[in-house]
Amino acid sequence: MITHRQQVTDMIISAKVLKSIKWSDVAKEIGLSKEWVTAACLGQMAFNKEQAEKIGQIFGLSDEAVAWLQIVPYKGSLPTSVPTDPLIYRWYEVVNVYGSTIKELIHEEFGDGIMSAIDFSMDIQREENPNGDRVNVVLSGKFLPYKTY
């Protein structure tokens, strides 16, 4: 009996390792970006019925696990407020160092508002470089202005 979405995430990760599955291959099967599909497999998004059934086939999940994939998750995957994983911590560091700059430049360009993480897309690519390959990340979120009322 499954009692929490994290159990399904654990099943997916276990099958991914066992079967040597790549997230990009899963995304091709689903027909969506590797970034969104990975987030959904890790428990941060909900799949529709058809997508969940495909994920179930890919990872050999039970009908119960497939049902859990369709439930709106509790979002937020970090176990602590300050991440301890080195790669995730570097993102935390980017926000700490450049967050106020990002905020200032968005407000200067768009006005008072926020960048949506709901109406959002992300693209992560390897950028070959003779001095060492680079990680190229593009984040694109809809600007949502604060309204007066």
Side-chain angles (χ1 to χ4, degrees):
M1 176 182 203
I2 299 170
T3 58
H4 195 275
R5 175 59 175 84
Q6 183 62 45
Q7 292 172 278
V8 180
T9 297
D10 293 342
M11 291 175 200
I12 289 171
I13 292 170
S14 179
K16 179 185 182 298
V17 171
L18 183 66
K19 298 178 179 186
S20 298
I21 297 171
K22 293 184 73 171
W23 293 123
S24 57
D25 294 333
V26 176
K28 285 177 191 169
E29 287 290 319
I30 302 302
L32 296 171
S33 74
K34 68 182 180 298
E35 293 81 9
W36 190 91
V37 171
T38 303
C41 286
L42 295 178
Q44 297 303 300
M45 304 292 172
F47 288 107
N48 67 30
K49 185 174 179 15
E50 180 184 339
Q51 294 162 344
E53 288 171 350
K54 284 183 184 177
I55 292 295
Q57 290 170 359
I58 293 167
F59 292 105
L61 302 176
S62 68
D63 290 343
E64 182 183 15
V66 169
W68 274 91
L69 293 173
Q70 299 169 67
I71 294 172
V72 176
Y74 184 87
K75 296 184 191 306
S77 62
L78 299 180
T80 59
S81 58
V82 177
T84 57
D85 178 86
L87 191 142
I88 297 172
Y89 180 80
R90 292 301 171 246
W91 278 96
Y92 178 79
E93 181 180 37
V94 166
V95 172
N96 267 328
V97 174
Y98 292 102
S100 57
T101 300
I102 293 166
K103 175 182 170 48
E104 184 69 23
L105 292 173
I106 287 173
H107 287 172
E108 183 175 273
E109 179 69 26
F110 294 91
D112 189 14
I114 63 167
M115 183 181 97
S116 176
I118 296 170
D119 190 341
F120 178 84
S121 65
M122 173 176 36
D123 184 42
I124 300 173
Q125 299 292 327
R126 177 185 215 114
E127 184 180 305
E128 292 186 16
N129 187 302
N131 295 323
D133 288 357
R134 302 183 67 80
V135 178
N136 186 327
V137 179
V138 176
L139 306 175
S140 177
K142 180 179 181 180
F143 180 74
L144 302 170
Y146 284 101
K147 296 182 179 181
T148 56
Y149 54 96

